[in-house]
Amino acid sequence: MEAFLSHPVVAVVILLGALVFVHELGHFLVGRWCGIAVEAFSIGFGPVVLSFKRGVTEYRLSAVPLGGYVKFYGAVPAESVPDAARGQEFFRASYLRRMATVAAGPLANFLLAAVAFAVLGRAGIPHPPASVGDVLPGGAAEAAGVYPGDRVVSIDGAKIQRWRELETSISRSAGRRMHWVLDRDGSQVEIDVTPAQVETENILGRKTRIGRAGVSLGIVPARVAVIGGDSIAAKSGMHTGDEVVSLQCAGSAEIKVTGFGDLAIKAHKLALECPDKIQLGLRRAGAELNLAMNIPPGRRPAATAGPGSPFSLFREYLKALGIDDAQLVISAENIMAPFESGDRLILFKGQPVKGVFGLRDMILENQEPRIQVTVERNFSPLQLDVNLKGIDTQQAKGKVVVYTLPVQLMGTPGEPEPVVEKYGNWLSAFAFGFAECWRQTATLSEALLHLVSGEIPLKALGGPIMIAKVAGDSAKIGWQAFLSSLALISVNLGLVNLVPIPVLDGGQMVLFSIEAVRRRPLGERAMEAFHRLGFVLVAALVILATYNDFSRFWKSMLAALVGEGN
C-alpha cells in the first residue's frame, strides 16, 4: 500500500487533487455566501460519472481526479441563465462580493497550508539540534575554544535550540563578536566567537557576504586513518578503517568514545594519566578487539589543556601518534577503479585536500570530467587518473553539471539526534501553522519577485513533472514529508494565482478594479483581448515549465514509472 501511495502518478493525483479541490471549494463557499448562483461544482474533471442537482446547482463527480472546478451563472453578461438564478449572476454582484469570491481560492490554499503546518506542529517536527558535530581547522570557533559535542545554549542572550537558528545567527554576524553559552558535558562554558567574513553565492545566484565560524553539524565517526608506517599507531597494530569504541588506562574504568572529536579530547587527557600504555577497544570489520598502544615518554602531552584550549591541540596530538580521521579515506562500498579501499585522498588536481569541506569546494569548482588525484596507499603517495561522474543539478542560473568522485568515504559524518518541535495543544499548533505559512509566503514572494525581475532565470521554473517528483519523493519518506510538500506547494499555488495575469485570479481582480474605477464594465472586444492575452501567457508558462521539467527529470521519471533494469 505504501509503495502504491508513493508512486509519482498516485502521489501527484492526491496532492494536486487536494490543492485544486480546496482552491475551488474556497471560490464556491464564498461565492454562495455572497449570494452568487453556482451552475456547477465538480469534484474532478472530464466526463461526468455521477451528478445530482440541488436548487440551481448541479453537483458532479467527474472521471479525472485532479481537483475540480466551479462555474458561476452569469460569469459573462451575454450568457443566458435560468429564471431561478436571475439576479444572482456573477456579473451583477458588487465589486467587493466579486473580489471576495475570486480571492477566496488563493486564500483557501493559504489556509490549507496553515492547517497542514499546524498538523505537523502537533505531531512533532524534527529539527537538527544546535550541537557542534565537528570544529573545522583554522576557524573562529576553534580559536575561541569550541569543542565537538558542545551544545550551543544561547548567543548574545538569545536562546538557541535548532541548528538553523545557530546557522542564521552566525551568517548575520560576519566580523562581529558574539557571546556564546555552551553546554559541555553538563557544565556551562562561556566564550566569545567572531565569525570570519566570506563571500558566497545565495540561492538566487548572487554574490553575498556572510559570517562563518567553522563548525559543522555532522558527527565525525571515530573511524581512523593510520598515517605513517613507522608511527606509534601503526606499530601498535592499528589499521586504517578501525573504529575506536573505548579507551582505558590500566586499572581504571573503561571510557566510551562517541566520535572522532570525543576520541581526540579523551585520548589527550588519558595520555596524561596513563604511565605508558593505553588500551583501545576497536571494531574492525564487524569484530570487536582490544589493542594496547605504548606511548613513549617523549610522545606524551606536555601539559594539560584548559577549557579554552583550541581543539587543534587534541587533533594534532592524535596525528603525532599516527591517527587521523577517516573522512578522506576511500571505503570498500561501491568502489570503482582505479581506487582501492583504504586509499586516503591527499591532492585534487595537484592541490592539497583540506578536509571534506575543502574537497567539496574543489569538486564544485571543477568543470573537467577527467582529473588527476593523489592518494596515500600503503603509506606511499600514488597519482591516479580518475573519470568523474556527472550529475545534473538545478541552480538559480539553470541546470549545471557537477562532476563528483564515484566513491564513498569511510568517515562520512552522521546526523545527531534531532530536536523535536512539538506543540502540546491545537491552539499553539495553529499559531505555529499560521506563522509558518506567513514565513513561507514571504520567502516564496521574494523568490517570485526575483523571477519576474529576471534575477532568477526562467530555467528555474518548475511545472507538473516537478510537482509529481516532489510528491512521489516526499511520499516515499513518510506522511510528514508529504504533508510538508503539500503545504509548500499550496502556498505556491495561492501566490501564483494572485499574480495579475489575465485568466488567473489576480488578473480577474485587476479587471474588477478597472471596472470599479471606470464605473462601467469593459467592452466585449477589450474583455476578449484581455482573456486571450491571459490564455497565451499562461499557456506559454505551462509549456516552458514542462520543458524545464523534462530537461531535468525525464530520466528519473521514466525510471520511476517503468522501473530500473537490473
Side-chain angles (χ1 to χ4, degrees):
M1 185 64 178
E2 183 178 342
F4 172 75
L5 293 175
S6 63
H7 192 283
V9 174
V10 176
V12 79
V13 165
I14 295 172
L15 188 142
L16 274 183
L19 296 181
V20 178
F21 174 73
V22 167
H23 182 95
E24 297 300 329
L25 183 63
H27 289 312
F28 171 79
L29 292 177
V30 174
R32 292 296 298 123
W33 180 67
C34 289
I36 301 172
V38 177
E39 181 178 346
F41 180 71
S42 175
I43 298 176
F45 293 95
V48 177
V49 176
L50 183 67
S51 68
F52 66 91
K53 197 164 187 177
R54 179 169 295 176
V56 295
T57 304
E58 183 180 6
Y59 296 88
R60 301 169 180 170
L61 178 64
S62 300
V64 183
L66 287 176
Y69 62 88
V70 58
K71 186 177 186 304
F72 292 103
Y73 282 110
V76 178
E79 178 183 303
S80 61
V81 298
D83 292 340
R86 291 191 183 278
Q88 302 177 56
E89 297 98 322
F90 185 83
F91 78 90
R92 294 187 187 277
S94 67
Y95 166 74
L96 290 178
R97 291 174 184 270
R98 283 184 291 164
M99 288 288 280
T101 300
V102 172
L107 291 178
N109 286 124
F110 294 131
L111 180 61
L112 174 63
V115 170
F117 285 129
V119 172
L120 290 170
R122 190 73 174 88
I125 306 171
H127 296 285
S131 297
V132 178
D134 193 19
V135 178
L136 307 186
E142 181 187 68
V146 178
Y147 294 172
D150 286 349
R151 181 172 61 84
V152 182
V153 177
S154 68
I155 295 180
D156 296 333
K159 187 178 180 181
I160 301 292
Q161 289 184 303
R162 298 177 289 181
W163 180 262
R164 187 174 70 184
E165 295 169 338
L166 172 62
E167 194 174 42
T168 301
S169 185
I170 293 172
S171 179
R172 294 174 177 173
S173 302
R176 182 182 69 82
R177 188 171 67 179
M178 312 166 71
H179 186 69
W180 290 16
V181 177
L182 308 172
D183 181 295
R184 179 177 297 167
D185 297 325
S187 300
Q188 183 172 296
V189 177
E190 298 187 30
I191 60 172
D192 291 330
V193 180
T194 304
Q197 182 173 269
V198 297
E199 187 176 86
T200 185
E201 280 190 2
N202 62 15
I203 194 172
L204 304 177
R206 294 185 297 178
K207 296 290 184 181
T208 183
R209 295 183 184 277
I210 63 170
R212 185 167 290 169
V215 292
S216 68
L217 175 66
I219 301 172
V220 180
R223 297 190 74 179
V224 302
V226 177
I227 52 179
D230 59 349
S231 66
I232 293 173
K235 291 179 178 178
S236 299
M238 290 191 77
H239 296 174
T240 291
D242 286 349
E243 182 179 2
V244 182
V245 296
S246 66
L247 299 170
Q248 190 173 14
C249 188
S252 65
E254 185 180 64
I255 302 170
K256 295 296 183 182
V257 173
T258 58
F260 188 82
D262 193 44
L263 168 65
I265 296 168
K266 289 177 177 176
H268 184 278
K269 180 180 179 182
L270 202 60
L272 290 164
E273 300 172 356
C274 291
D276 56 5
K277 185 182 294 184
I278 294 177
Q279 294 288 336
L280 302 174
L282 303 178
R283 186 179 293 117
R284 179 183 297 168
E288 304 285 340
L289 66 152
N290 293 312
L291 182 148
M293 179 179 288
N294 296 309
I295 304 177
R299 292 295 183 92
R300 296 176 191 165
T304 58
S309 301
F311 177 64
S312 58
L313 177 72
F314 312 116
R315 195 185 335 245
E316 290 305 316
Y317 178 67
L318 279 187
K319 287 184 178 180
L321 300 178
I323 298 172
D324 200 359
D325 65 60
Q327 290 189 84
L328 296 176
V329 177
I330 308 299
S331 170
E333 298 176 43
N334 301 321
I335 197 166
M336 296 177 64
F339 292 107
E340 292 184 6
S341 178
D343 287 350
R344 186 164 68 97
L345 293 167
I346 301 173
L347 303 176
F348 186 93
K349 296 175 66 175
Q351 299 298 314
V353 181
K354 298 179 180 179
V356 288
F357 291 98
L359 176 63
R360 179 200 63 185
D361 292 341
M362 289 175 161
I363 289 173
L364 291 176
E365 291 172 3
N366 173 61
Q367 289 297 308
E368 300 175 28
R370 184 177 176 84
I371 62 162
Q372 285 187 337
V373 300
T374 300
V375 300
E376 184 181 75
R377 182 181 294 174
N378 298 323
F379 306 116
S380 298
L382 178 66
Q383 192 175 82
L384 305 173
D385 292 322
V386 180
N387 292 316
L388 303 182
K389 181 180 180 181
I391 298 177
D392 293 340
T393 63
Q394 184 61 38
Q395 301 178 11
K397 55 188 174 184
K399 187 172 70 173
V400 176
V401 178
V402 175
Y403 293 98
T404 63
L405 281 170
V407 295
Q408 293 187 35
L409 302 175
M410 283 187 182
T412 303
E415 291 294 325
E417 191 71 23
V419 173
V420 178
E421 183 180 14
K422 188 172 183 178
Y423 295 88
N425 57 69
W426 282 109
L427 184 61
S428 58
F430 273 107
F432 161 75
F434 280 98
E436 185 65 14
C437 180
W438 175 257
R439 191 180 72 83
Q440 295 294 344
T441 300
T443 301
L444 293 170
S445 295
E446 183 181 3
L448 188 60
L449 287 173
H450 287 302
L451 184 68
V452 173
S453 67
E455 291 182 85
I456 297 179
L458 291 175
K459 288 182 179 180
L461 195 66
I465 296 177
M466 175 179 278
I467 293 174
K469 180 169 176 57
V470 169
D473 290 348
S474 61
K476 289 176 184 177
I477 297 171
W479 72 267
Q480 290 100 330
F482 182 79
L483 196 60
S484 179
S485 297
L486 182 144
L488 290 174
I489 296 174
S490 190
V491 172
N492 263 289
L493 182 61
L495 279 174
V496 168
N497 268 280
L498 289 175
V499 173
I501 294 178
V503 179
L504 297 181
D505 294 330
Q508 296 299 310
M509 294 166 72
V510 169
L511 180 63
F512 300 155
S513 299
I514 293 173
E515 291 182 3
V517 171
R518 296 178 76 244
R519 296 183 179 277
R520 66 180 186 276
L522 293 173
E524 287 188 16
R525 294 185 64 181
M527 289 281 288
E528 185 178 349
F530 190 80
H531 285 98
R532 281 183 179 177
L533 174 62
F535 177 79
V536 171
L537 287 174
V538 171
L541 286 174
V542 170
I543 291 171
L544 176 61
T546 305
Y547 172 79
N548 289 344
D549 287 349
F550 270 114
S551 65
R552 293 187 196 111
F553 303 126
W554 70 271
K555 289 182 181 178
S556 59
M557 287 300 297
L558 183 62
L561 288 169
V562 302
E564 296 187 49
N566 294 320

